[in-house]
Amino acid sequence: MFIVLTKLASLTRPLLKDKSVLVIPTSVDLYQEGDLGSLNLKGLGQYLGEKTSIPFSLCGDIFEGLIEEKIDRVADQFSRTKVIDPRRRWIPREPLQGEIDYERRRIKNPGWRVFGNLYEGVFYQRIISDLVLGNRLDLRHCTLLFTNQLFGTWDRVDQRYHARVSLYGFPHLISISGLVEAPAKPKEFYLKKQRGIPLERLKEEYQGRFLDYGDQRMTEALKGYVMQALFLHLTGSPFCEDRDCRLFNSHWQEEVIRSQLNGKYEFCPKHEAILERLRSNSGRYDRQG
Amino acid sequence: MAQKKQIFTPVSEKEVTRAIVDGFARQFIEYVESDCLIVGGGPSGLMVGRDVARKGIKTLIVERNNYIGGGFWIGGYLMNKVTVREPGQEILEELGIPFEKATKGLYVADGPHACSKLIAAACDAGVKFANMTIFDDVVLREGGRVCGAVVNWTPVHALPREITCVDPIALETKFVVDSTGHDACVVKKLEERGILKTAGFGAMWVEQSEDLVVEHTGEAHPGLIVTGMAVATTYGLPRMGPTFGAMLLSGRKGAQVVLEKMKKV
């Protein structure tokens, strides 16, 4: 975030009707990692286009075309990025060969389905940043990676890792497993789980009250996260305090469902106005590049 | 008055003793050297044993308890129903274990029935057992390859050293399989020697840990294959709950690794 704001000063363009400034990318690049289930990446890109008039490109698998030497290096890096105990801050650890081999298989198999390791989000982002196609990790491109892997960040307040849906920066990371695991489910769900009620039964009982793997609502729910990433790029601020706005920073599944699926509107008047200006002014001012 | 006919053939006590000693000794001498030595007779170890022995591999399972089967007799909270998630039920079906669908993707079976069928399947395949035998150490060869296990009687370990000063003995093999559950005894022994460093297991997360356990099952060190919950300890994977599909599938994958590696030995 700090890096973004520093760069904003020299690279922003004023909007025509007010004094606010936006950093408008020439394109939004969408990468993917692993099996994304029913997620419609093209649909997300089209949605972005409709809302902002910014073109998008589908860049495919983030690992595509890596040479063996690079695969070895990246596998080694990923295996070192695993958080073993969420209650302890991650420290570098020498990985076992089996862990590196697992990451190698993951990288070499597009559409890899297995997940469950929690990775250190900031370091994960750093590894991914090195894989983005040459010279495209800059303010002219808004780069997003959609992954089925789970990452978290350390919370200094309660001294533990928390899984995250998204980690915004260069590039922006959005996790579909994070969308299921990170926002908390209803409290009673966890109480019943503690009492030993099988997960499958609980899922039936609470069906619809949280997003689950393979949920058909996933694409719709992620539209807001894509817009949060873009708003960080545009304005330096990804979130909105309005619970009905797609930019609301949800911590509970019920908040996700409200802000992304059942809100009074898609965007609050303030953010809708920014989008409207973007659309109406498209082509009337220079984009980055 | 007519004498009542005896049901059983009369045999003296000494003959009974000789039969036990002779039977045990012959098998033990034969299995001092095996192709595959599995430490831990729980569901994953039994599954490895059953699958490799069916291919004619000389297999011995070392189990520290008197009983074989580990935690497969009971499910969570001492309740004797075991659950498996899809596709684990395919193995139940293959072994002839009755089960029923609990909910979508989850199946439940009687623990005693499932466990005894699995043990029987391993026995039928030709696996031999050394129960009440505790793993003590690894046998290492050139290049640090694991090629055996040092074992002792479980009671010897259970008593103070001053009372039971009994040296262990060594068993040689081509591959050792660590199926000792969360203890990961064999892997931990290598860690004690500074040969590898385990990651320890993370928080419980049943839904995803099963996939990860199966995916990470394999050779952790030359000559040492790790299966079941020992995989979670070795690689720092989320801890598993009371569900057994991953134990069975991890055992199956461990067997495939053994068979694959056996071709190169």
Side-chain angles (χ1 to χ4, degrees):
Chain A
M1 178 74 90
F2 177 76
I3 297 167
V4 173
L5 292 174
T6 313
K7 288 184 177 175
L8 280 178
S10 59
L11 292 168
T12 51
R13 295 284 186 276
L15 272 176
L16 297 180
K17 290 180 182 174
D18 67 17
K19 290 178 183 174
S20 61
V21 289
L22 297 180
V23 177
I24 303 162
T26 53
S27 80
V28 177
D29 295 348
L30 306 176
Y31 288 86
Q32 66 185 84
E33 177 190 19
D35 173 35
L36 301 182
S38 60
L39 185 72
N40 180 356
L41 214 50
K42 191 177 175 187
L44 282 177
Q46 286 165 341
Y47 173 81
L48 264 168
E50 285 164 19
K51 292 290 167 189
T52 65
S53 299
I54 300 171
F56 73 94
S57 44
L58 296 173
C59 302
D61 191 297
I62 189 77
F63 302 126
E64 196 180 319
L66 290 187
I67 57 168
E68 284 295 317
E69 194 182 315
K70 181 111 180 177
I71 290 173
D72 286 346
R73 191 164 71 244
V74 173
D76 183 82
Q77 288 172 327
F78 277 138
S79 63
R80 289 170 194 271
T81 311
K82 209 165 77 177
V83 174
I84 303 298
D85 183 352
R87 293 159 302 180
R88 289 187 184 169
R89 185 132 203 198
W90 174 86
I91 48 167
R93 179 180 64 85
E94 199 59 37
L96 292 161
Q97 190 56 46
E99 293 172 286
I100 301 170
D101 291 344
Y102 169 79
E103 298 295 347
R104 269 182 65 85
R105 291 197 299 277
R106 190 164 80 73
I107 293 166
K108 291 184 87 163
N109 287 285
W112 181 260
R113 297 174 73 99
V114 177
F115 60 93
N117 283 331
L118 180 68
Y119 295 95
E120 215 295 334
V122 176
F123 287 89
Y124 202 88
Q125 191 178 42
R126 197 173 288 174
I127 297 167
I128 296 294
S129 72
D130 192 37
L131 304 177
V132 172
L133 291 172
N135 302 324
R136 286 177 77 93
L137 201 64
D138 54 27
L139 287 174
R140 287 170 296 172
H141 303 91
C142 179
T143 306
L144 284 92
L145 172 78
F146 293 85
T147 177
N148 65 342
Q149 299 300 307
L150 193 66
F151 51 79
T153 56
W154 180 255
D155 189 318
R156 287 181 189 169
V157 178
D158 62 4
Q159 294 284 299
R160 56 164 294 145
Y161 274 91
H162 287 275
R164 304 291 182 197
V165 185
S166 56
L167 187 61
Y168 300 128
F170 291 90
H172 306 289
L173 305 184
I174 295 178
S175 166
I176 57 168
S177 54
L179 185 57
V180 175
E181 303 295 341
K185 296 176 177 66
K187 276 183 188 162
E188 321 88 75
F189 180 95
Y190 297 107
L191 292 171
K192 287 184 179 175
K193 194 176 160 199
Q194 273 183 346
R195 285 184 1 224
I197 297 176
L199 198 60
E200 286 76 4
R201 286 221 178 107
L202 286 174
K203 283 186 173 185
E204 278 182 358
E205 190 179 336
Y206 288 87
Q207 198 173 22
R209 291 180 64 187
F210 60 84
L211 291 160
D212 199 4
Y213 299 106
D215 204 307
Q216 293 303 314
R217 300 171 297 175
M218 200 69 90
T219 303
E220 191 59 33
L222 283 177
K223 285 178 179 173
Y225 290 89
V226 171
M227 293 303 282
Q228 288 172 10
L230 186 63
F231 263 90
L232 175 71
H233 200 104
L234 291 167
T235 69
S237 175
F239 302 124
C240 176
E241 289 181 1
D242 186 333
R243 289 173 183 274
D244 286 304
C245 179
R246 278 197 187 268
L247 304 185
F248 182 71
N249 186 14
S250 304
H251 289 87
W252 291 84
Q253 286 281 344
E254 283 168 349
E255 292 174 335
V256 174
I257 288 168
R258 176 174 166 179
S259 60
Q260 303 302 335
L261 306 170
N262 300 332
K264 280 189 287 188
Y265 33 67
E266 273 204 281
F267 296 95
C268 67
K270 178 185 146 194
H271 287 105
E272 186 56 55
I274 294 174
L275 291 172
E276 180 52 38
R277 285 181 208 158
L278 256 181
R279 286 191 295 268
S280 59
N281 290 323
S282 74
R284 292 180 60 189
Y285 48 82
D286 293 336
R287 291 172 190 278
Q288 294 301 328
Chain B
M1 193 172 116
Q3 200 174 2
K4 193 181 173 191
K5 195 185 171 202
Q6 283 185 308
I7 296 173
F8 293 104
T9 307
V11 176
S12 73
E13 284 78 358
K14 64 177 181 291
E15 289 308 316
V16 173
T17 305
R18 276 186 189 129
I20 294 170
V21 173
D22 184 53
F24 176 82
R26 272 190 292 114
Q27 182 182 301
F28 201 76
I29 288 166
E30 191 185 342
Y31 279 82
V32 159
E33 186 181 11
S34 60
D35 294 326
C36 180
L37 175 62
I38 299 161
V39 184
S44 81
L46 286 166
M47 201 65 214
V48 179
R50 186 256 185 185
D51 278 6
V52 294
R54 271 161 64 94
K55 299 288 180 186
I57 303 295
K58 189 176 168 187
T59 306
L60 178 70
I61 293 182
V62 169
E63 167 56 51
R64 69 179 170 184
N65 291 307
N66 186 16
Y67 65 90
I68 308 295
F72 204 37
W73 294 103
I74 51 174
Y77 198 63
L78 292 179
M79 294 177 281
N80 66 357
K81 297 288 179 187
V82 293
T83 54
V84 297
R85 293 199 300 145
E86 201 170 348
Q89 88 284 359
E90 290 171 8
I91 291 182
L92 298 183
E93 211 163 337
E94 185 183 323
L95 298 175
I97 298 167
F99 62 90
E100 58 188 40
K101 188 175 174 179
T103 183
K104 187 174 175 241
L106 182 70
Y107 300 87
V108 64
D110 280 329
H113 204 160
C115 197
S116 50
K117 279 272 194 180
L118 179 55
I119 295 168
C123 293
D124 290 346
V127 176
K128 297 298 177 194
F129 293 89
N131 47 343
M132 290 301 280
T133 300
I134 195 160
F135 168 81
D136 193 79
D137 207 344
V138 285
V139 177
L140 296 172
R141 284 282 184 272
E142 309 79 44
R145 183 185 167 82
V146 174
C147 61
V150 178
V151 298
N152 212 333
W153 297 118
T154 300
V156 170
H157 258 250
L159 292 168
R161 188 169 281 275
E162 309 83 67
I163 301 173
T164 55
C165 188
V166 179
D167 283 334
I169 55 164
L171 305 172
E172 287 189 25
T173 188
K174 294 189 177 78
F175 288 97
V176 171
V177 180
D178 186 343
S179 303
T180 58
H182 280 313
D183 293 342
C185 296
V186 186
V187 171
K188 282 285 171 66
K189 192 52 78 173
L190 291 182
E191 191 172 28
E192 268 178 49
R193 289 170 172 241
I195 293 171
L196 59 79
K197 176 91 178 72
T198 64
F201 53 83
M204 188 188 282
W205 187 10
V206 178
E207 198 169 17
Q208 298 311 326
S209 54
E210 287 205 279
D211 285 14
L212 283 172
V213 163
V214 176
E215 261 309 318
H216 282 79
T217 296
E219 194 173 40
H221 183 81
L224 175 63
I225 282 93
V226 186
T227 69
M229 289 187 180
V231 174
T233 302
T234 305
Y235 296 112
L237 308 178
R239 206 150 50 91
M240 306 249 324
T243 181
F244 290 92
M247 300 301 98
L248 302 174
L249 291 179
S250 170
R252 170 145 290 172
K253 188 173 175 197
Q256 286 163 358
V257 174
V258 171
L259 293 169
E260 203 53 44
K261 301 233 169 245
M262 200 69 82
K263 290 178 194 164
K264 297 172 189 165
V265 174

